[in-house]
Amino acid sequence: MDNDGISVILPAHQEEAGIGACLRGLCAQRLVPGVSHQIVVIANGCTDATAQLARDAAPALTTAGWQVLVLETAIGNKIAALNMGDAAATGGTRIYLDADVVIGPGMIEALHTALSGPGARYAGARLTVPPARNLLSRAYARFWQKLPFVATGVTGAGLFAMNAEGRARWDQFPPVIADDGFARLNFSPAERTRVEVPYAWPITEGFRRLIRVRRRQDAGTAQLAERYPDLQQNASGDRPSLGRMLRLGLTNPVGFAVYATVTVAVRLGRPSQGWDRGR
């Protein structure tokens, strides 16, 4: 393994609609001089053109300086795909990227800088949500983006990265609902860095889907608390206070009403038992 190299692990399940833009975002990056750059796409359980689109994008990515590997597995499972990608990765620095996320210019350089130096380090970036087609989803996203965890924190949603020393804290990703939450909680707040480069993370479209995905997110948080209680010391500041929520609600009452309605609906329903695809 090349500890100085960078590997992007990109699991993709039925992502023919989004993977092209994701890979174009990577292709447009300025790469770090003297460092190897690799992209590992893991098309898992795909019956669409996801894998072929990744292969079609490979020549342009290669010209831009990337080494590209496209793997396919019939098993549609993100955790299995992450572990398959890790096994094939050659770079010590790992960037885990969802296939429907588009990173902004300068992201690779900024993450590399944030992760350089001694000690275990974890990095995220500035999450932005493109305007949703659904009006309720759009209102939900406007409020959600103002929550401190998203507005100023290191969320890990759709994008997280770590250096080789940080990745050595666990072997394979365990079978959990929240892979990003598991990774983030392996680092103390002092070990996390947010780079102020934006990336576009699409919100779930539609009220019912919002409820389903929020239920899955809440179940993932609860699962981590139950299985990994020793990591909960790193979860400080993840939830806003009631006072902060109310103050935000006064500035955006419509968004607050939608967010609160989704939250209540989630708590009234049956807890999620696994991974739900929301978009």
Side-chain angles (χ1 to χ4, degrees):
M1 182 174 69
D2 177 9
N3 281 347
D4 294 326
I6 298 169
S7 286
V8 177
I9 311 298
L10 206 161
H13 173 70
Q14 304 289 65
E15 290 289 359
E16 65 179 7
I19 195 169
C22 178
L23 293 174
R24 286 193 293 275
L26 287 165
C27 192
Q29 295 292 305
R30 297 186 302 271
L31 303 190
V32 181
V35 172
S36 65
H37 295 74
Q38 179 196 37
I39 299 170
V40 183
V41 178
I42 312 95
N44 62 102
C46 296
T47 58
D48 64 0
T50 296
Q52 186 57 52
L53 288 171
R55 285 191 288 266
D56 291 346
L61 287 161
T62 301
T63 299
W66 292 95
Q67 302 165 23
V68 182
L69 179 62
V70 180
L71 306 175
E72 292 188 71
T73 173
I75 301 171
N77 182 288
K78 187 179 182 183
I79 295 297
L82 288 170
N83 289 328
M84 183 180 292
D86 266 331
T90 58
T93 295
R94 302 288 165 90
I95 301 172
Y96 298 89
L97 183 66
D98 283 0
D100 56 358
V101 164
V102 180
I103 60 175
M107 180 68 79
I108 299 300
E109 284 185 320
L111 289 174
H112 178 265
T113 298
L115 296 171
S116 297
R121 300 184 182 210
Y122 173 101
R126 179 161 60 86
L127 184 153
T128 63
V129 180
R133 297 185 302 275
N134 182 273
L135 292 178
L136 289 175
S137 292
R138 194 179 305 172
Y140 180 96
R142 280 199 301 269
F143 183 81
W144 180 75
Q145 287 181 91
K146 297 297 184 181
L147 296 178
F149 179 62
V150 182
T152 59
V154 187
T155 71
L159 167 68
F160 58 92
M162 63 203 70
N163 61 8
E165 189 170 344
R167 184 59 187 85
R169 289 192 168 172
W170 71 92
D171 185 15
Q172 291 194 326
F173 279 89
V176 295
I177 299 170
D179 56 278
D180 54 345
F182 171 80
R184 187 174 58 86
L185 291 180
N186 269 276
F187 298 83
S188 70
E191 293 173 321
R192 303 177 203 151
T193 302
R194 166 171 152 152
V195 303
E196 291 305 320
V197 178
Y199 67 100
W201 182 89
I203 195 73
T204 301
E205 295 277 0
F207 186 69
R208 290 185 179 179
R209 288 184 176 181
L210 276 172
I211 293 171
R212 189 171 73 240
V213 172
R214 265 293 302 278
R215 190 169 288 147
R216 184 259 297 174
Q217 291 169 345
D218 287 359
T221 300
Q223 182 189 62
L224 291 176
E226 179 183 353
R227 293 189 184 181
Y228 303 98
D230 54 316
L231 297 182
Q232 295 310 300
Q233 61 183 344
N234 293 331
S236 60
D238 285 0
R239 294 186 180 276
S241 66
L242 178 59
R244 181 65 181 270
M245 291 284 286
L246 293 175
R247 287 193 295 273
L248 288 172
L250 290 174
T251 63
N252 182 4
V254 174
F256 176 73
V258 174
Y259 183 88
T261 301
V262 170
T263 300
V264 170
V266 166
R267 292 178 180 175
L268 290 176
R270 187 175 62 181
S272 174
Q273 300 300 311
W275 189 87
D276 291 308
R277 181 179 175 82
R279 57 187 193 273

